[in-house]
Amino acid sequence: MARSVNSVASRARRKRILKQAKGFFGRRKNVWTVAKNAVEKAMVYAYRDRKQKKRNFRSLWIMRINAGARLHGMSYSQFMGKLKANNIELNRKVLADLAMNHPEAFAAIVNKVK
């Protein structure tokens, strides 16, 4: 008996991968084996960087809060310690936004904790 191959499913699977490789450079966009490897690697990077994005933003917020606190003669760690001591529960995202876009509001917070 002849071997049955499901070419419809195979073609669909290849089309799906090649569609995901749209915009890639050179053979990565249209050669099946190269595109498959490129898309798999891209998926690994996407998964990893969804986690890294959170780290990067937290780091950015800390830098902005530190810069804002130092304008008022205080380091980041001193500022955050005093916030906790005074039971001011503002997260880093909000504090960074205040430091950046509303310096007078940030100054009011700093004066409150001093």
Side-chain angles (χ1 to χ4, degrees), residues 5 19 24 36 43 48 56 71-72 82-83 87-89 91 93 97-98 104-105 109:
V5 289
K19 188 175 179 185
F24 286 12
K36 182 170 66 84
M43 294 292 188
R48 180 198 70 187
N56 291 340
L71 289 175
H72 301 284
K82 289 183 179 182
L83 277 179
N87 293 322
I88 297 174
E89 293 181 9
N91 64 19
K93 183 178 179 178
D97 184 58
L98 290 175
E104 62 285 341
I109 294 169

Side-chain angles (χ1 to χ4, degrees), residues 9-45:
S10 302
R11 169 65 62 99
R13 188 168 49 248
R14 290 190 192 114
K15 270 181 73 173
R16 189 174 68 240
I17 294 288
L18 288 170
K19 188 175 179 185
Q20 287 176 311
K22 185 178 177 190
F24 286 12
F25 184 81
R27 282 195 270 184
R28 308 180 85 188
K29 70 173 168 276
N30 53 16
V31 175
W32 160 244
T33 51
V34 181
K36 182 170 66 84
N37 292 334
V39 167
E40 282 175 6
K41 189 69 167 176
M43 294 292 188
V44 169
Y45 284 141

Side-chain angles (χ1 to χ4, degrees), residues 38-98:
V39 167
E40 282 175 6
K41 189 69 167 176
M43 294 292 188
V44 169
Y45 284 141
Y47 177 79
R48 180 198 70 187
D49 291 341
R50 280 196 295 276
K51 318 276 176 280
Q52 267 187 355
K53 187 164 113 177
K54 294 165 182 64
R55 291 179 224 156
N56 291 340
F57 268 102
R58 184 184 169 95
S59 170
L60 176 68
W61 297 332
I62 288 171
M63 282 184 247
R64 287 179 175 174
I65 295 166
N66 190 22
R70 285 184 188 277
L71 289 175
H72 301 284
M74 200 183 286
S75 74
Y76 169 79
S77 62
Q78 290 169 338
F79 177 64
M80 293 308 282
K82 289 183 179 182
L83 277 179
K84 296 279 183 281
N86 287 305
N87 293 322
I88 297 174
E89 293 181 9
L90 289 173
N91 64 19
R92 286 168 181 81
K93 183 178 179 178
V94 170
L95 286 169
D97 184 58
L98 290 175

Side-chain angles (χ1 to χ4, degrees), residues 99-111:
M100 188 95 174
N101 301 320
H102 307 284
E104 62 285 341
F106 188 77
I109 294 169
V110 172
N111 292 333

